């Protein structure tokens, strides 16, 4: 089979949305990863009597990496459909905390990248085109299911839901943009802090001022995450955790600034 990324896209419908709901996007991403896993496994089925030493193991390890990607995308899809970390832990035969520690970064990265199934460089103008390409490949093996992926998407089953999802996406996108701008300022303050620390105790007053500005930025970032709780309700647990972490960092910065202040 041809890789999904190389499959010629079908012509899009005139009113086809370029981006679907995060729930649909996560399902398409999972379907794509499963399809790529199947292709990779099939390529490894053949027996090559002239394979170099270690080639068979490398092929298996490459497949294991793809499996890890499938599992991570499955966790993301579960979170987008409202599955709790307790339920994810139970499904993986581990505790809630262990599941959260194992896959939290994957969910966070998904949110930071816009919650979309399509890669930055894609042959597909819309996610539905991407899903249709997987449909086509699946139907070669299972012709009785010509729309195995797209028929299960909310945008197909409940077309009226797209407007509401678009409004949430617009708000979430604006908040993520705000977060990126604040993060740039934090990076600049970090660089300034390192330069001041290299200068020794003579810079204590300026370092204290830097820490207070740093704390203010982290408080603003915490505010953004608190707003994301309602803009991206499926990921509310992640956003609350980030808000708490940034509040704690801001508090530590203020304590550090107090230590640097001259004692009266």
């Amino acid at each position: 089979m041809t890789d999904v990324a190389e499959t010629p896209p079908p012509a899009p419908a005139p009113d086809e949305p370029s981006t679907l709901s995060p729930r649909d996007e996560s399902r398409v991403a999972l379907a794509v990863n499963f399809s790529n896993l199947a292709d990779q496994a099939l390529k490894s089925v053949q027996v090559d009597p002239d394979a170099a030493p270690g080639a068979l193991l490398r092929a298996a390890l490459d497949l294991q990496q793809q499996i890890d990607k499938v599992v991570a995308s499955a966790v993301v899809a579960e979170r987008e459909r409202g599955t709790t970390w307790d339920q994810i832990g139970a499904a993986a035969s581990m505790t809630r905390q262990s599941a959260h520690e194992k896959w939290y970064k994957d969910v966070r990265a998904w949110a930071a990248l816009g919650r979309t199934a399509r890669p930055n460089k894609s042959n597909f103008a819309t996610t539905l085109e991407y899903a249709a390409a997987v449909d086509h490949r699946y139907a070669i093996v299972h012709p009785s299911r010509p729309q195995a992926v797209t028929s299960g998407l909310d945008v197909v089953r409940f077309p009226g839901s797209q407007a509401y999802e678009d409004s949430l996406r617009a708000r979430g996108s604006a908040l993520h943009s705000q977060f990126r701008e604040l993060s740039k300022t934090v990076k600049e303050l970090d660089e300034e802090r390192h330069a001041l620390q290299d200068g020794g105790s003579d810079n204590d007053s300026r370092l204290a001022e830097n820490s207070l500005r740093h704390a203010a930025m982290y408080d603003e970032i915490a505010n953004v995450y608190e707003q994301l709780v309602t803009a991206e309700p499926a990921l509310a647990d992640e956003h609350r955790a980030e808000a708490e972490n940034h509040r704690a960092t801001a508090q530590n910065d203020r304590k550090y600034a107090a230590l640097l202040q001259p004692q009266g």
Side-chain angles (χ1 to χ4, degrees):
M1 285 187 182
T2 304
D3 188 271
V4 170
E6 299 173 356
T7 303
D15 58 348
E16 188 174 292
S18 60
T19 304
L20 309 181
S21 71
R23 174 171 154 137
D24 276 353
E25 290 281 340
S26 67
R27 288 172 168 178
V28 173
L30 178 59
V32 169
N33 281 326
F34 266 126
S35 183
N36 289 340
L37 173 63
D39 278 355
Q40 192 169 336
L42 282 173
K43 289 176 183 177
S44 302
V45 167
Q46 61 184 337
V47 174
D48 181 4
D50 298 319
L56 306 180
L57 177 59
R58 281 193 292 272
L61 291 173
D62 288 343
L63 191 63
Q64 187 176 57
Q65 288 184 343
Q66 182 63 32
I67 291 173
D68 290 341
K69 185 182 294 186
V70 169
V71 171
S73 63
V75 171
V76 168
E78 290 286 2
R79 289 295 296 132
E80 288 288 11
R81 69 196 291 250
T83 306
T84 67
W85 283 106
D86 284 316
Q87 292 169 322
I88 289 172
S93 299
M94 61 177 67
T95 64
R96 177 195 188 282
Q97 182 178 355
S98 296
H100 189 269
E101 290 175 355
K102 186 175 182 65
W103 292 300
Y104 172 73
K105 289 183 180 179
D106 295 299
V107 178
R108 182 181 176 187
W110 163 261
L113 292 174
R115 302 162 88 191
T116 178
R118 287 178 297 129
N120 291 332
K121 295 180 179 179
S122 174
N123 292 333
F124 305 95
T126 73
T127 302
L128 275 176
E129 287 182 8
Y130 208 14
V134 185
D135 279 343
H136 174 71
R137 297 169 72 215
Y138 186 87
I140 294 173
V141 181
H142 301 282
S144 63
R145 295 291 307 279
Q147 294 181 313
V149 178
T150 55
S151 62
L153 299 177
D154 294 338
V155 71
V156 174
R157 297 165 62 233
F158 314 110
S161 66
Q162 188 64 33
Y164 173 70
E165 293 291 347
D166 286 346
S167 68
L168 285 181
R169 268 197 175 279
R171 186 180 173 209
S173 178
L175 288 168
H176 280 292
S177 178
Q178 186 178 347
F179 166 77
R180 287 191 291 271
E181 290 302 315
L182 291 170
S183 295
K184 289 179 184 178
T185 302
V186 167
K187 184 177 180 180
E188 292 170 359
L189 289 171
D190 285 341
E191 293 172 353
E192 180 183 283
R193 172 181 288 183
H194 293 149
L196 291 171
Q197 287 174 332
D198 290 341
S201 59
D202 291 342
N203 288 329
D204 280 359
S205 61
R206 293 177 60 195
L207 193 54
E209 179 187 352
N210 171 281
S211 295
L212 290 175
R213 290 160 56 205
H214 205 269
M217 287 298 101
Y218 272 110
D219 276 335
E220 288 194 39
I221 291 175
N223 287 336
V224 170
Y225 275 114
E226 285 166 354
Q227 293 176 70
L228 280 168
V229 167
T230 55
E232 298 177 345
L235 306 182
D237 287 349
E238 286 77 9
H239 296 324
R240 287 193 189 96
E242 287 296 332
E244 291 175 3
N245 289 338
H246 284 86
R247 293 283 185 209
T249 301
Q251 184 62 20
N252 288 335
D253 276 330
R254 281 189 283 272
K255 290 179 179 178
Y256 181 51
L259 290 174
L260 293 169
Q261 298 290 351
Q263 302 298 316

